[in-house]
Amino acid sequence: MGKIIAIANQKGGVGKTTTTINLAASLAVQEKKVLVVDADPQANASSGLGIDIRQVETTIYECMIDQVPAENAIKNTEINYLDVLPSHIDLVGAELEMIQLPQREYIMKNMLQAVRDRYDYILIDCSPSLGLITVNCLTAADSVLIPVQCEYFALEGISKLLNTIKIIKSGLNKALEIEGFLLTMYDGRLRSARQVADEVRKHFQNLVFNTMIQRNVTLSVAPSHGEPALLYDADSKGAIDHIQLALEIIQKNKH
């Protein structure tokens, strides 16, 4: 049964989508079957993995609102073992439409249940908000991976997210755990980056991944070509860091 990991932080620009795309590709290269669930209306994870969202007829929106089975919306990518459940701008309005639906917090959980056994890992790219869709993501997930950029104010948003996780755990998903905090956009030349990294490690200790994602041009450029860093430039720091992260997650989960 696949492990469902939500990649979440309601602070924008911390590297959620970059992490989702590149971690998914790195797990797939290790021959793990991976599904990326794009739960962000901007659909950047979909396009960053080569899906032309203008050509896609069935997306996560139809799965959540019209109860179309997830398998009807899943698309293959050019990477073996890696599939995507794409998003669409329509998802912006989905929260309003979901309000009157029964068991509205469990829609994504039920949707993924049918395909869960086909994958080793299901990674959900959450939107940078704490609305009903993100609540659905956290209710469906086994764990949360929290990217934290190594810049000042990075810790600001975390307490809000941790509070949300606590609320979800107390009611909707008692088994939800923190997969780990991932330090992103790290530049070892900057004292401020080193200080933030030290602070996060001091605060969250063994919940912080050993792997840090260094600031790297390839990570910014590759998505515009519809490719993860691994395909765009396998020797780049960005690609190598995410391979390390994938190995760390596989080791931690022992599968």
Side-chain angles (χ1 to χ4, degrees), residues 95-142:
E95 303 209 341
L96 284 174
E97 295 177 63
M98 286 162 68
I99 284 170
Q100 60 263 44
L101 295 176
Q103 296 270 293
R104 58 179 183 251
E105 296 88 359
Y106 295 95
I107 292 169
M108 187 178 292
K109 185 182 177 113
N110 297 334
M111 175 188 92
L112 293 178
Q113 216 51 44
V115 296
R116 190 171 180 163
D117 287 347
R118 300 184 193 177
Y119 297 97
D120 297 307
Y121 292 95
I122 296 177
L123 305 182
I124 308 176
D125 186 25
C126 300
S127 69
S129 72
L130 291 176
L132 189 51
I133 302 269
T134 301
V135 168
N136 260 266
C137 298
L138 296 175
T139 303
D142 299 307

Short mmCIF file of all heavy atoms in Angstrom, two decimals, residues 95-142:
data_model
loop_
_atom_site.label_atom_id
_atom_site.label_comp_id
_atom_site.label_asym_id
_atom_site.label_seq_id
_atom_site.Cartn_x
_atom_site.Cartn_y
_atom_site.Cartn_z
N GLU A 95 -13.56 24.75 -3.62
CA GLU A 95 -13.81 24.83 -2.18
C GLU A 95 -15.25 25.26 -1.91
O GLU A 95 -15.91 24.71 -1.01
CB GLU A 95 -12.83 25.79 -1.51
CG GLU A 95 -11.39 25.38 -1.76
CD GLU A 95 -10.42 25.79 -0.66
OE1 GLU A 95 -10.77 26.67 0.13
OE2 GLU A 95 -9.33 25.20 -0.60
N LEU A 96 -15.74 26.22 -2.68
CA LEU A 96 -17.12 26.67 -2.51
C LEU A 96 -18.11 25.56 -2.85
O LEU A 96 -19.09 25.35 -2.17
CB LEU A 96 -17.40 27.89 -3.39
CG LEU A 96 -16.82 29.22 -2.90
CD1 LEU A 96 -17.03 30.30 -3.93
CD2 LEU A 96 -17.46 29.62 -1.57
N GLU A 97 -17.80 24.82 -3.92
CA GLU A 97 -18.69 23.74 -4.35
C GLU A 97 -18.69 22.58 -3.36
O GLU A 97 -19.67 21.86 -3.25
CB GLU A 97 -18.27 23.25 -5.74
CG GLU A 97 -18.44 24.31 -6.82
CD GLU A 97 -17.96 23.82 -8.17
OE1 GLU A 97 -18.55 22.86 -8.68
OE2 GLU A 97 -16.99 24.40 -8.69
N MET A 98 -17.57 22.42 -2.67
CA MET A 98 -17.45 21.29 -1.73
C MET A 98 -18.20 21.53 -0.42
O MET A 98 -18.50 20.58 0.30
CB MET A 98 -15.98 21.02 -1.41
CG MET A 98 -15.23 20.36 -2.56
SD MET A 98 -13.44 20.54 -2.36
CE MET A 98 -13.13 19.51 -0.94
N ILE A 99 -18.47 22.78 -0.12
CA ILE A 99 -19.04 23.11 1.19
C ILE A 99 -20.32 22.34 1.47
O ILE A 99 -20.54 21.87 2.58
CB ILE A 99 -19.24 24.65 1.34
CG1 ILE A 99 -17.87 25.29 1.59
CG2 ILE A 99 -20.20 24.98 2.48
CD1 ILE A 99 -17.86 26.79 1.53
N GLN A 100 -21.16 22.17 0.44
CA GLN A 100 -22.43 21.47 0.71
C GLN A 100 -22.34 19.95 0.54
O GLN A 100 -23.32 19.25 0.72
CB GLN A 100 -23.58 22.03 -0.16
CG GLN A 100 -23.37 21.92 -1.65
CD GLN A 100 -22.84 23.21 -2.21
OE1 GLN A 100 -21.94 23.82 -1.64
NE2 GLN A 100 -23.39 23.66 -3.35
N LEU A 101 -21.16 19.45 0.17
CA LEU A 101 -21.04 18.00 -0.03
C LEU A 101 -20.91 17.27 1.31
O LEU A 101 -20.27 17.78 2.24
CB LEU A 101 -19.82 17.68 -0.91
CG LEU A 101 -19.86 18.19 -2.35
CD1 LEU A 101 -18.56 17.88 -3.06
CD2 LEU A 101 -21.03 17.59 -3.12
N PRO A 102 -21.49 16.06 1.43
CA PRO A 102 -21.34 15.30 2.67
C PRO A 102 -19.90 14.84 2.84
O PRO A 102 -19.20 14.60 1.85
CB PRO A 102 -22.28 14.09 2.46
CG PRO A 102 -22.45 13.99 0.99
CD PRO A 102 -22.32 15.38 0.44
N GLN A 103 -19.44 14.75 4.09
CA GLN A 103 -18.08 14.26 4.39
C GLN A 103 -17.03 15.01 3.55
O GLN A 103 -16.11 14.43 3.00
CB GLN A 103 -18.00 12.76 4.07
CG GLN A 103 -18.89 11.89 4.93
CD GLN A 103 -18.17 11.41 6.18
OE1 GLN A 103 -17.22 10.64 6.12
NE2 GLN A 103 -18.60 11.89 7.34
N ARG A 104 -17.20 16.34 3.46
CA ARG A 104 -16.38 17.11 2.52
C ARG A 104 -14.88 17.06 2.80
O ARG A 104 -14.08 17.22 1.90
CB ARG A 104 -16.87 18.56 2.48
CG ARG A 104 -16.84 19.25 3.83
CD ARG A 104 -17.31 20.69 3.74
NE ARG A 104 -17.20 21.32 5.04
CZ ARG A 104 -18.24 21.64 5.79
NH1 ARG A 104 -19.45 21.41 5.37
NH2 ARG A 104 -18.05 22.21 6.97
N GLU A 105 -14.49 16.81 4.06
CA GLU A 105 -13.06 16.77 4.37
C GLU A 105 -12.39 15.47 3.90
O GLU A 105 -11.17 15.36 3.86
CB GLU A 105 -12.82 16.90 5.88
CG GLU A 105 -13.25 18.23 6.47
CD GLU A 105 -14.71 18.23 6.91
OE1 GLU A 105 -15.40 17.20 6.73
OE2 GLU A 105 -15.17 19.25 7.43
N TYR A 106 -13.22 14.46 3.58
CA TYR A 106 -12.69 13.15 3.24
C TYR A 106 -12.73 12.84 1.73
O TYR A 106 -12.46 11.72 1.33
CB TYR A 106 -13.47 12.05 3.98
CG TYR A 106 -13.31 12.13 5.48
CD1 TYR A 106 -14.25 12.80 6.26
CD2 TYR A 106 -12.21 11.55 6.12
CE1 TYR A 106 -14.10 12.88 7.65
CE2 TYR A 106 -12.05 11.63 7.49
CZ TYR A 106 -13.00 12.30 8.25
OH TYR A 106 -12.84 12.37 9.61
N ILE A 107 -13.08 13.84 0.93
CA ILE A 107 -13.27 13.58 -0.51
C ILE A 107 -11.97 13.07 -1.15
O ILE A 107 -11.97 12.08 -1.88
CB ILE A 107 -13.78 14.85 -1.24
CG1 ILE A 107 -15.21 15.16 -0.76
CG2 ILE A 107 -13.75 14.68 -2.75
CD1 ILE A 107 -15.75 16.51 -1.20
N MET A 108 -10.84 13.73 -0.85
CA MET A 108 -9.58 13.30 -1.47
C MET A 108 -9.14 11.93 -0.94
O MET A 108 -8.65 11.09 -1.70
CB MET A 108 -8.48 14.33 -1.24
CG MET A 108 -7.22 13.98 -2.02
SD MET A 108 -5.90 15.17 -1.87
CE MET A 108 -6.56 16.58 -2.71
N LYS A 109 -9.33 11.71 0.34
CA LYS A 109 -8.96 10.41 0.93
C LYS A 109 -9.69 9.28 0.21
O LYS A 109 -9.09 8.29 -0.19
CB LYS A 109 -9.32 10.42 2.42
CG LYS A 109 -8.85 9.17 3.16
CD LYS A 109 -9.28 9.21 4.60
CE LYS A 109 -8.87 7.92 5.29
NZ LYS A 109 -7.86 8.11 6.30
N ASN A 110 -10.99 9.46 0.03
CA ASN A 110 -11.79 8.43 -0.65
C ASN A 110 -11.37 8.29 -2.12
O ASN A 110 -11.32 7.18 -2.65
CB ASN A 110 -13.29 8.77 -0.56
CG ASN A 110 -13.77 8.77 0.88
OD1 ASN A 110 -13.19 8.09 1.74
ND2 ASN A 110 -14.82 9.52 1.17
N MET A 111 -11.06 9.40 -2.74
CA MET A 111 -10.66 9.40 -4.15
C MET A 111 -9.36 8.61 -4.35
O MET A 111 -9.22 7.84 -5.31
CB MET A 111 -10.47 10.85 -4.59
CG MET A 111 -9.94 11.07 -5.97
SD MET A 111 -9.58 12.83 -6.20
CE MET A 111 -7.87 12.92 -5.73
N LEU A 112 -8.40 8.80 -3.43
CA LEU A 112 -7.08 8.15 -3.59
C LEU A 112 -7.09 6.68 -3.15
O LEU A 112 -6.21 5.91 -3.53
CB LEU A 112 -6.02 8.93 -2.80
CG LEU A 112 -5.70 10.33 -3.33
CD1 LEU A 112 -4.67 11.02 -2.45
CD2 LEU A 112 -5.19 10.26 -4.78
N GLN A 113 -8.08 6.33 -2.34
CA GLN A 113 -8.15 4.96 -1.83
C GLN A 113 -8.13 3.93 -2.96
O GLN A 113 -7.50 2.89 -2.87
CB GLN A 113 -9.43 4.80 -0.98
CG GLN A 113 -9.30 3.92 0.24
CD GLN A 113 -8.11 4.26 1.14
OE1 GLN A 113 -7.84 5.41 1.43
NE2 GLN A 113 -7.39 3.26 1.55
N ALA A 114 -8.82 4.26 -4.05
CA ALA A 114 -8.97 3.31 -5.16
C ALA A 114 -7.66 3.06 -5.92
O ALA A 114 -7.49 2.02 -6.55
CB ALA A 114 -10.04 3.81 -6.12
N VAL A 115 -6.72 4.04 -5.88
CA VAL A 115 -5.47 3.86 -6.65
C VAL A 115 -4.25 3.66 -5.75
O VAL A 115 -3.15 3.43 -6.24
CB VAL A 115 -5.21 5.08 -7.58
CG1 VAL A 115 -6.31 5.20 -8.63
CG2 VAL A 115 -5.09 6.38 -6.80
N ARG A 116 -4.47 3.71 -4.47
CA ARG A 116 -3.35 3.70 -3.52
C ARG A 116 -2.45 2.46 -3.65
O ARG A 116 -1.22 2.55 -3.53
CB ARG A 116 -3.94 3.76 -2.11
CG ARG A 116 -2.91 3.99 -1.05
CD ARG A 116 -3.54 4.27 0.28
NE ARG A 116 -2.50 4.47 1.25
CZ ARG A 116 -2.65 5.04 2.42
NH1 ARG A 116 -3.83 5.47 2.77
NH2 ARG A 116 -1.64 5.19 3.23
N ASP A 117 -3.05 1.31 -3.92
CA ASP A 117 -2.27 0.07 -3.98
C ASP A 117 -1.36 -0.02 -5.19
O ASP A 117 -0.50 -0.88 -5.25
CB ASP A 117 -3.22 -1.14 -3.97
CG ASP A 117 -3.83 -1.34 -2.59
OD1 ASP A 117 -3.34 -0.71 -1.63
OD2 ASP A 117 -4.80 -2.11 -2.47
N ARG A 118 -1.55 0.85 -6.15
CA ARG A 118 -0.73 0.78 -7.37
C ARG A 118 0.63 1.46 -7.21
O ARG A 118 1.48 1.36 -8.08
CB ARG A 118 -1.44 1.49 -8.53
CG ARG A 118 -2.77 0.89 -8.87
CD ARG A 118 -3.29 1.63 -10.08
NE ARG A 118 -4.68 1.35 -10.30
CZ ARG A 118 -5.39 1.90 -11.25
NH1 ARG A 118 -4.83 2.79 -12.05
NH2 ARG A 118 -6.66 1.60 -11.41
N TYR A 119 0.77 2.24 -6.13
CA TYR A 119 1.97 3.08 -5.99
C TYR A 119 2.71 2.80 -4.69
O TYR A 119 2.13 2.36 -3.71
CB TYR A 119 1.57 4.57 -6.05
CG TYR A 119 0.97 4.96 -7.37
CD1 TYR A 119 -0.42 5.00 -7.54
CD2 TYR A 119 1.78 5.24 -8.46
CE1 TYR A 119 -0.98 5.32 -8.77
CE2 TYR A 119 1.22 5.58 -9.70
CZ TYR A 119 -0.14 5.61 -9.84
OH TYR A 119 -0.69 5.93 -11.06
N ASP A 120 4.03 3.08 -4.72
CA ASP A 120 4.82 3.03 -3.49
C ASP A 120 4.68 4.35 -2.73
O ASP A 120 4.62 4.37 -1.50
CB ASP A 120 6.30 2.79 -3.82
CG ASP A 120 6.51 1.44 -4.50
OD1 ASP A 120 6.07 0.42 -3.94
OD2 ASP A 120 7.08 1.42 -5.62
N TYR A 121 4.64 5.45 -3.49
CA TYR A 121 4.52 6.78 -2.88
C TYR A 121 3.52 7.62 -3.67
O TYR A 121 3.56 7.64 -4.90
CB TYR A 121 5.87 7.52 -2.86
CG TYR A 121 6.89 6.89 -1.94
CD1 TYR A 121 7.83 5.99 -2.44
CD2 TYR A 121 6.90 7.18 -0.58
CE1 TYR A 121 8.76 5.39 -1.59
CE2 TYR A 121 7.83 6.59 0.27
CZ TYR A 121 8.75 5.69 -0.24
OH TYR A 121 9.65 5.09 0.60
N ILE A 122 2.67 8.33 -2.94
CA ILE A 122 1.79 9.33 -3.54
C ILE A 122 2.16 10.67 -2.90
O ILE A 122 2.09 10.82 -1.68
CB ILE A 122 0.30 9.00 -3.29
CG1 ILE A 122 -0.06 7.67 -4.00
CG2 ILE A 122 -0.59 10.13 -3.78
CD1 ILE A 122 -1.49 7.20 -3.76
N LEU A 123 2.62 11.60 -3.72
CA LEU A 123 3.04 12.92 -3.22
C LEU A 123 1.98 13.94 -3.61
O LEU A 123 1.63 14.07 -4.79
CB LEU A 123 4.38 13.33 -3.82
CG LEU A 123 5.57 12.37 -3.65
CD1 LEU A 123 6.83 12.99 -4.27
CD2 LEU A 123 5.82 12.04 -2.19
N ILE A 124 1.45 14.66 -2.62
CA ILE A 124 0.43 15.67 -2.89
C ILE A 124 1.06 17.06 -2.80
O ILE A 124 1.59 17.44 -1.75
CB ILE A 124 -0.74 15.60 -1.88
CG1 ILE A 124 -1.30 14.17 -1.79
CG2 ILE A 124 -1.84 16.58 -2.28
CD1 ILE A 124 -2.40 14.01 -0.72
N ASP A 125 1.01 17.80 -3.91
CA ASP A 125 1.50 19.17 -3.91
C ASP A 125 0.36 20.08 -3.45
O ASP A 125 -0.60 20.31 -4.20
CB ASP A 125 1.97 19.56 -5.32
CG ASP A 125 2.62 20.93 -5.37
OD1 ASP A 125 3.15 21.37 -4.31
OD2 ASP A 125 2.61 21.58 -6.42
N CYS A 126 0.44 20.58 -2.22
CA CYS A 126 -0.64 21.40 -1.65
C CYS A 126 -0.50 22.85 -2.09
O CYS A 126 0.59 23.33 -2.35
CB CYS A 126 -0.59 21.35 -0.12
SG CYS A 126 -0.79 19.67 0.54
N SER A 127 -1.63 23.56 -2.12
CA SER A 127 -1.57 24.98 -2.47
C SER A 127 -1.12 25.78 -1.23
O SER A 127 -1.25 25.30 -0.11
CB SER A 127 -2.93 25.48 -2.94
OG SER A 127 -3.84 25.48 -1.87
N PRO A 128 -0.59 26.99 -1.45
CA PRO A 128 -0.11 27.77 -0.31
C PRO A 128 -1.26 28.47 0.43
O PRO A 128 -1.31 29.68 0.53
CB PRO A 128 0.84 28.78 -0.95
CG PRO A 128 0.35 28.91 -2.34
CD PRO A 128 -0.29 27.62 -2.73
N SER A 129 -2.20 27.67 0.91
CA SER A 129 -3.29 28.22 1.72
C SER A 129 -3.75 27.11 2.64
O SER A 129 -3.36 25.96 2.47
CB SER A 129 -4.45 28.66 0.83
OG SER A 129 -5.12 27.51 0.34
N LEU A 130 -4.54 27.45 3.62
CA LEU A 130 -5.03 26.40 4.52
C LEU A 130 -6.54 26.25 4.40
O LEU A 130 -7.27 26.16 5.37
CB LEU A 130 -4.62 26.72 5.97
CG LEU A 130 -3.12 26.60 6.24
CD1 LEU A 130 -2.78 27.01 7.66
CD2 LEU A 130 -2.60 25.20 5.96
N GLY A 131 -7.02 26.25 3.15
CA GLY A 131 -8.45 26.09 2.90
C GLY A 131 -8.88 24.63 2.91
O GLY A 131 -8.12 23.73 3.31
N LEU A 132 -10.09 24.40 2.41
CA LEU A 132 -10.70 23.07 2.46
C LEU A 132 -9.95 22.04 1.62
O LEU A 132 -9.87 20.87 1.99
CB LEU A 132 -12.16 23.17 2.00
CG LEU A 132 -13.06 21.94 2.17
CD1 LEU A 132 -13.00 21.36 3.57
CD2 LEU A 132 -14.49 22.28 1.80
N ILE A 133 -9.34 22.48 0.50
CA ILE A 133 -8.57 21.52 -0.32
C ILE A 133 -7.35 21.04 0.46
O ILE A 133 -7.04 19.85 0.48
CB ILE A 133 -8.12 22.17 -1.66
CG1 ILE A 133 -9.31 22.67 -2.46
CG2 ILE A 133 -7.27 21.18 -2.46
CD1 ILE A 133 -9.93 21.72 -3.44
N THR A 134 -6.65 21.97 1.12
CA THR A 134 -5.47 21.57 1.89
C THR A 134 -5.87 20.71 3.08
O THR A 134 -5.18 19.75 3.42
CB THR A 134 -4.67 22.82 2.34
OG1 THR A 134 -4.28 23.54 1.17
CG2 THR A 134 -3.42 22.44 3.12
N VAL A 135 -7.01 21.01 3.70
CA VAL A 135 -7.53 20.15 4.77
C VAL A 135 -7.77 18.74 4.22
O VAL A 135 -7.43 17.74 4.86
CB VAL A 135 -8.83 20.74 5.37
CG1 VAL A 135 -9.54 19.72 6.25
CG2 VAL A 135 -8.51 22.00 6.17
N ASN A 136 -8.31 18.65 3.00
CA ASN A 136 -8.49 17.35 2.34
C ASN A 136 -7.16 16.63 2.14
O ASN A 136 -7.06 15.42 2.37
CB ASN A 136 -9.17 17.54 0.97
CG ASN A 136 -10.65 17.26 1.01
OD1 ASN A 136 -11.09 16.15 0.73
ND2 ASN A 136 -11.41 18.27 1.38
N CYS A 137 -6.15 17.38 1.71
CA CYS A 137 -4.81 16.79 1.49
C CYS A 137 -4.27 16.20 2.78
O CYS A 137 -3.76 15.08 2.81
CB CYS A 137 -3.84 17.85 0.97
SG CYS A 137 -4.29 18.57 -0.62
N LEU A 138 -4.38 16.97 3.87
CA LEU A 138 -3.83 16.53 5.16
C LEU A 138 -4.66 15.39 5.75
O LEU A 138 -4.13 14.54 6.48
CB LEU A 138 -3.76 17.71 6.13
CG LEU A 138 -2.81 18.84 5.72
CD1 LEU A 138 -2.91 20.01 6.68
CD2 LEU A 138 -1.37 18.36 5.62
N THR A 139 -5.94 15.35 5.44
CA THR A 139 -6.79 14.26 5.93
C THR A 139 -6.49 12.97 5.18
O THR A 139 -6.55 11.88 5.73
CB THR A 139 -8.28 14.64 5.78
OG1 THR A 139 -8.51 15.86 6.49
CG2 THR A 139 -9.20 13.58 6.34
N ALA A 140 -6.10 13.11 3.90
CA ALA A 140 -5.79 11.93 3.08
C ALA A 140 -4.39 11.39 3.34
O ALA A 140 -4.11 10.22 3.08
CB ALA A 140 -5.92 12.29 1.60
N ALA A 141 -3.51 12.23 3.86
CA ALA A 141 -2.08 11.88 3.94
C ALA A 141 -1.73 11.03 5.17
O ALA A 141 -2.40 11.08 6.19
CB ALA A 141 -1.25 13.16 3.96
N ASP A 142 -0.65 10.26 5.01
CA ASP A 142 -0.06 9.55 6.17
C ASP A 142 0.91 10.48 6.89
O ASP A 142 1.12 10.36 8.09
CB ASP A 142 0.72 8.32 5.68
CG ASP A 142 -0.18 7.33 4.97
OD1 ASP A 142 -1.21 6.95 5.56
OD2 ASP A 142 0.12 6.95 3.82
#
